[in-house]
Amino acid sequence: MESHINDIDFVAAAAEERVTRHDVMANLHLFAKQCPEAAPIIHLGATSSYVGDNTYLIVLRDALRLLLPRVASVVEQLKQFAQTYKALPTLGFTHLQPAQLTTVGKRACLWMQDLLMDERALSRCLEDLRCRGVKGTTGTQASFLQLFNGDGKKVKQLDALVTELAGFTKSYAVTSQSYSRKVDVEVIGALASLGTTIHKMCSDLRILTFHKEMEEPYETTQIASSAMPYKRNPQRSERCCGLARHLITLFSNAANTQATQWLERTLDDSPSRRLTLSEAFLAADGSLITLLSITQGLIVYPKVIECHIAQELPFMSTENIIIAMVKAGGDRQVCHEKIRMLSQEAGAQVKQHGKQNDLIERVRNDPYFAPILNQLGDILDARTFTGRASEQVVEFIAEEVQPVLARYSAHLQSEKYN
């Protein structure tokens, strides 16, 4: 049996399956022909789910082990990006409208935080995975108890031995004919959650590309449009969003499969799972590979960011102007009304005439604000509007990011040199 373990004639197995209409039995018949001395006892006491479900659990485990380092690699790239741009002011947006300033690096930390949550969820799925072991037709181990002449200790020993050989430390204490499809729900749920992170981040990048503040890497020979040669489309981010959206939708398949498993199991789970499990991991893998290529070469345009800040900062600075005027002896209510009127006039210039925001010029030209004119430069310094964003980046990386990345140090070091 050992000498033929990898000697699989897939053509012959397919022919056998056309006769038996049973994938496991087709391969068992073929294996028995290759191993005639073992033929009488191959699969004795077992079920198709013993073969299939234990194999699925091994594949799920190995697939999670492949994905987790990819998540870590993306986090590592974003960490470096956040450190580089931790203090670069940029417009924050709420409701997709300009809001209080943040920094480019702080925004990257929001993406990282979501990815760390995904790493935690996927790691938990990996840690919680167990082997199905040898449980029999309905999970009672009755056939194995019969094989061992009623010796329950030997049945438990066999279960433990198979579990160990499969590379697990534990098996599920109770199963039906199959392991609970709730396991698939948890795994696909974590992958779908990863999909939401990737979609959100890449949607942000697409919006920032529209504003010309950031871009994904773009090859010098790359063509974005067959009709419009000037375009630089965020193709990789769009690809990630498309794959992530598909990944998110797969959760409903896993959930519905678990919900409709009657009693000890029904076989309508099989076709859905064969598609859902493989597609989920493939979509996650493809998304992470593409996302890594994006984060390895993100492009920032500080001058464009500075220009956008200049368009909005005059309005955002009004409270600071009022405070400065009150400190200089002015009346808060009078100053508020002055600023309100000047802001409306400046807003009309922007919205009705397409001109630049000239609020600060209006403030400079109004004698009322003479006591603070020499302070306007400091008041309009964008760095004073970002709060503790820069410090938050440093603290977040030290306290949250580095401890996670430390678990993947060997992988990240290998990736660095390869």
Side-chain angles (χ1 to χ4, degrees):
M1 289 175 68
E2 289 182 356
S3 66
H4 286 285
I5 194 168
N6 294 314
D7 183 18
I8 305 171
D9 187 341
F10 290 104
V11 175
E16 185 72 22
E17 186 175 346
R18 282 193 291 272
V19 176
T20 62
R21 306 294 296 175
H22 197 290
D23 54 355
V24 173
M25 286 305 297
N27 283 278
L28 285 172
H29 287 170
L30 183 64
F31 199 30
K33 291 178 183 178
Q34 293 174 311
C35 314
E37 292 183 19
I41 60 169
I42 292 176
H43 203 61
L44 185 61
T47 65
S48 296
S49 287
Y50 165 75
V51 177
D53 275 30
N54 280 318
T55 302
Y56 264 114
L57 290 164
I58 292 171
V59 171
L60 289 177
R61 179 196 65 202
D62 293 351
L64 286 168
R65 287 176 176 172
L66 288 171
L67 280 187
L68 279 164
R70 295 206 193 283
V71 175
S73 294
V74 174
V75 172
E76 170 65 23
Q77 294 300 318
L78 285 175
K79 181 198 77 174
Q80 296 176 26
F81 178 84
Q83 289 172 327
T84 300
Y85 295 102
K86 65 182 180 182
L88 181 62
T90 188
L91 284 176
F93 285 84
T94 60
H95 312 274
L96 204 53
Q97 301 300 311
Q100 194 173 67
L101 300 190
T102 183
T103 69
V104 173
K106 169 65 189 306
R107 180 176 283 146
C109 286
L110 299 179
W111 300 331
M112 268 194 288
Q113 181 170 248
D114 289 349
L115 285 167
L116 292 182
M117 294 173 70
D118 295 319
E119 190 278 338
R120 183 185 65 195
L122 292 169
S123 292
R124 181 177 177 180
C125 287
L126 178 58
E127 292 165 6
D128 288 348
L129 273 184
R130 299 184 181 187
C131 187
R132 180 184 177 273
V134 288
K135 296 299 192 295
T137 307
T138 56
T140 64
Q141 298 178 310
S143 57
F144 296 101
L145 190 64
Q146 186 177 358
L147 281 173
F148 289 120
N149 299 317
D151 190 337
K153 289 185 179 179
K154 287 189 175 181
V155 175
K156 292 186 69 175
Q157 287 175 357
L158 178 63
D159 190 86
L161 179 60
V162 169
T163 297
E164 182 182 352
L165 289 171
F168 292 93
T169 57
K170 290 183 179 180
S171 66
Y172 293 108
V174 293
T175 72
S176 60
Q177 187 176 92
S178 58
Y179 70 79
S180 173
R181 297 317 184 211
K182 191 80 170 179
V183 174
D184 295 345
V185 173
E186 289 186 346
V187 173
I188 301 300
L191 292 174
S193 182
L194 171 65
T196 66
T197 296
I198 294 172
H199 200 292
K200 197 274 183 195
M201 176 182 168
C202 289
S203 294
D204 286 352
L205 289 174
R206 291 163 68 186
I207 292 170
L208 293 170
T209 300
F210 168 75
H211 287 292
K212 296 181 174 58
E213 293 188 2
M214 283 180 62
E215 278 185 346
E216 62 184 38
Y218 205 86
E219 309 297 336
T220 56
T221 56
Q222 184 174 334
I223 297 174
S225 170
S226 61
M228 295 166 280
Y230 60 87
K231 294 187 74 180
R232 289 170 65 97
N233 299 334
Q235 293 166 311
R236 299 185 208 189
S237 297
E238 290 174 320
R239 186 184 313 143
C240 280
C241 285
L243 287 169
R245 191 160 58 244
H246 177 62
L247 179 53
I248 294 166
T249 65
L250 292 174
F251 177 74
S252 63
N253 285 350
N256 282 308
T257 295
Q258 157 64 7
T260 56
Q261 283 296 283
W262 302 343
L263 305 175
E264 275 63 54
R265 77 87 51 99
T266 57
L267 197 60
D268 59 347
D269 66 333
S270 180
S272 176
R273 290 178 68 250
R274 293 181 190 217
L275 292 170
T276 300
L277 292 173
S278 58
E279 288 185 8
F281 277 99
L282 287 169
D285 194 50
S287 298
L288 287 170
I289 290 172
T290 307
L291 189 60
L292 179 59
S293 75
I294 293 172
T295 54
Q296 286 173 332
L298 282 172
I299 305 166
V300 178
Y301 294 108
K303 291 299 181 181
V304 177
I305 293 174
E306 186 180 319
C307 179
H308 290 161
I309 291 175
Q311 292 171 354
E312 302 294 338
L313 193 59
F315 291 139
M316 296 179 188
S317 67
T318 53
E319 184 177 9
N320 289 5
I321 292 175
I322 291 173
I323 291 174
M325 278 297 299
V326 171
K327 286 182 177 180
D331 183 299
R332 190 266 178 195
Q333 312 311 327
V334 174
C335 185
H336 182 279
E337 181 61 19
K338 285 274 188 180
I339 286 288
R340 187 183 71 83
M341 294 301 297
L342 293 179
S343 295
Q344 289 188 2
E345 293 170 5
Q349 293 296 311
V350 174
K351 295 177 181 178
Q352 296 176 18
H353 304 291
K355 295 183 178 181
Q356 294 296 315
N357 188 334
D358 63 356
L359 175 59
I360 299 304
E361 283 304 307
R362 292 176 184 274
V363 170
R364 291 184 189 280
N365 294 331
D366 192 319
Y368 175 80
F369 294 99
I372 64 163
L373 290 184
N374 62 338
Q375 301 178 41
L376 282 181
D378 292 334
I379 291 174
L380 293 170
D381 185 347
R383 292 170 297 180
T384 65
F385 288 81
T386 60
R388 294 190 66 251
S390 181
E391 290 84 354
Q392 286 179 344
V393 172
V394 174
E395 293 164 1
F396 174 68
I397 289 174
E399 297 169 12
E400 305 287 343
V401 178
Q402 282 302 133
V404 173
L405 292 182
R407 299 201 297 269
Y408 300 91
S409 58
H411 165 78
L412 296 172
Q413 193 70 13
S414 173
E415 192 173 66
K416 179 180 178 181
Y417 290 106
N418 291 330

